[in-house]
Amino acid sequence: MAESYIMNYARCRCFLESNVYLKSFGLHVSFKSEKQFEDCYRKKLSEMGCTDLRPVIHEIKEELERRRRIPYDSVERTIYIKTNYKLLHPDIFELKDEFLHPDVLDLLHYVKEKSIDKAALGIPYRTHGVDVFSFPIFSLEFCNRLVSEIDHFNETSMPKGRPNSMNNYGVLLDELGLNEGLLTPLRKKYLEPISQFLFPEEKGMEFDSHKVFTVNYEENKDTELAFHFDNSEVTLNVCLLENCEGGELFFGAPGSDKGFGYIHEAGMAVIHRGSALHCVLPLLSGRRVNLVMWMRSSSVRNLTCPMCGKTPDLEPVENGWGDGFTIPNKQPANERT
């Protein structure tokens, strides 16, 4: 009888040396050593107006150190927040059907009961370009309460981690305590079957982890986002607050006149492959807040890392889901206590 092993979550080591975003230059870089960096990027950065690489290298080293410490710092923040933060709306931390828009309940029913006539249902989702879809997901009341909780949290002195290297303003919702009761059930009950329906060619793709955070676009804060792809198999992007001009999501490629925009509406979700190149166009005024969930399938990413495009070079993480990769623990499951 084959031995059964417990799977440890892991991250690809490329995370500690690649895809570092230099916001002042709008450039993603890799950094294995100072010599490698200077050889690869000195000329390009000089052409972009950089006269001194030292502050750039310092910025990169700080970012890589932040990444290295994520598994440890996140645990410390989570424990501190759980112990010291007083929730403003504790009732929203457990998923209830009343938080959801009726159309997403109909969509789930349609996905599970293929015999239902889509036209009679009223087409509960829209198609935008190739493999980009949208549908209503949250009630406006729930969106308002979640934004209120996030704003309340941001007004406190609680420790806060950055969502990623590109967004400076936002909240890691797992650290706030929203995973167990709200976000993981949302992914498992609703988002996984809907994703398998919308992306039928990905047979057998099962999400076993996710990363979820908010982004906040506002004057004098983050106002745009350069072209990028996500560290996910499928990304869900839900608008919680839309009171702005500009700041649309755009799918395409840098320097190409082909692409399409997506205008956010509060309560609406846009869902797309993580590999789809997209950006956020400049916000001209007002504020927009979104919830972003990077849904991950270890059975997919264990074969090819979505960030470096290679067979992943994995290191286990002691806590959490890492970046959604898995490796077997050498100790058989029946020997672990």
Side-chain angles (χ1 to χ4, degrees):
M1 183 176 182
E3 289 183 312
S4 174
Y5 290 96
I6 293 176
M7 304 304 288
N8 283 345
Y9 281 96
R11 60 185 180 182
C12 181
R13 288 185 172 88
C14 76
F15 183 61
L16 303 177
E17 60 183 29
S18 302
N19 285 297
V20 178
Y21 183 62
L22 300 177
K23 187 170 185 178
S24 18
F25 300 100
L27 186 67
H28 284 90
V29 301
S30 62
F31 187 94
K32 298 180 179 180
S33 68
E34 290 190 21
K35 183 179 185 306
Q36 167 269 330
F37 178 76
E38 291 180 8
D39 290 345
C40 291
Y41 299 104
R42 179 183 291 278
K43 181 179 178 182
K44 185 174 184 64
L45 288 171
S46 176
E47 292 171 350
M48 301 175 78
C50 178
T51 57
D52 186 357
L53 285 181
R54 288 174 297 179
V56 177
I57 290 173
H58 178 72
E59 176 186 347
I60 293 171
K61 287 183 175 180
E62 282 195 332
E63 167 60 17
L64 294 180
E65 176 62 13
R66 180 192 73 85
R67 295 183 183 191
R68 187 188 68 80
R69 290 198 51 81
I70 282 176
Y72 317 103
D73 291 345
S74 181
V75 169
E76 290 182 2
R77 288 192 299 263
T78 300
I79 293 172
Y80 187 89
I81 291 167
K82 184 176 182 179
T83 304
N84 296 281
Y85 176 63
K86 185 176 181 180
L87 304 178
L88 182 65
H89 299 297
D91 56 305
I92 69 170
F93 282 63
E94 296 286 335
L95 181 64
K96 303 179 182 69
D97 281 355
E98 66 194 61
F99 297 164
L100 303 173
H101 192 285
D103 281 3
V104 79
L105 301 176
D106 288 343
L107 177 56
L108 182 67
H109 187 55
Y110 170 67
V111 166
K112 291 185 173 181
E113 305 293 336
K114 300 294 193 304
S115 60
I116 295 176
D117 180 24
K118 178 180 170 183
L121 188 62
I123 310 181
Y125 65 93
R126 305 174 198 164
T127 302
H128 311 263
V130 178
D131 288 342
V132 178
F133 308 93
S134 67
F135 52 88
I137 186 167
F138 291 142
S139 71
L140 292 180
E141 180 182 356
F142 174 76
C143 291
N144 291 336
R145 289 166 71 81
L146 182 53
V147 171
S148 175
E149 185 73 54
I150 291 164
D151 287 345
H152 174 66
F153 176 73
N154 279 328
E155 289 169 0
T156 70
S157 59
M158 293 293 114
K160 302 170 183 70
R162 290 175 61 189
N164 51 65
S165 63
M166 298 183 75
N167 292 104
N168 295 301
Y169 302 93
V171 174
L172 293 162
L173 296 184
D174 60 323
E175 295 183 4
L176 190 53
L178 283 161
N179 254 354
E180 184 176 354
L182 179 71
L183 298 170
T184 299
L186 178 71
R187 187 196 85 215
K188 290 182 175 180
K189 184 176 180 181
Y190 295 96
L191 301 179
E192 183 164 325
I194 289 173
S195 296
Q196 291 174 343
F197 168 74
L198 293 175
F199 306 100
E201 62 277 16
E202 300 294 344
K203 292 181 180 179
M205 178 175 65
E206 295 184 356
F207 304 124
D208 45 9
S209 69
H210 63 257
K211 177 177 180 177
V212 62
F213 52 91
T214 61
V215 292
N216 185 65
Y217 295 96
E218 194 171 359
E219 294 175 85
N220 301 316
K221 294 184 179 180
D222 288 333
T223 58
E224 60 187 312
L225 201 63
F227 275 104
H228 63 282
F229 55 89
D230 298 334
N231 190 355
S232 69
E233 274 60 68
V234 173
T235 293
L236 180 87
N237 187 335
V238 183
C239 183
L240 302 176
L241 172 69
E242 190 277 323
N243 182 22
C244 64
E245 181 182 356
E248 299 90 350
L249 192 60
F250 185 84
F251 292 88
S256 172
D257 57 358
K258 295 181 180 179
F260 58 93
Y262 173 81
I263 299 175
H264 288 283
E265 302 173 51
M268 289 288 294
V270 59
I271 189 168
H272 60 85
R273 294 182 185 279
S275 58
L277 273 174
H278 56 286
C279 70
V280 174
L281 300 178
L283 181 118
L284 304 177
S285 63
R287 183 188 182 203
R288 176 164 67 80
V289 179
N290 283 53
L291 177 154
V292 178
M293 180 183 284
W294 289 348
M295 295 183 281
R296 293 161 168 173
S297 171
S298 62
S299 63
V300 174
R301 61 183 40 226
N302 281 352
L303 301 176
T304 305
C305 172
M307 302 308 289
C308 65
K310 301 175 182 178
T311 301
D313 178 16
L314 298 178
E315 66 170 19
V317 295
E318 294 181 10
N319 303 289
W321 286 324
D323 277 345
F325 302 91
T326 54
I327 52 179
N329 188 295
K330 293 181 180 180
Q331 187 177 1
N334 58 7
E335 292 183 11
R336 297 187 70 182
T337 59

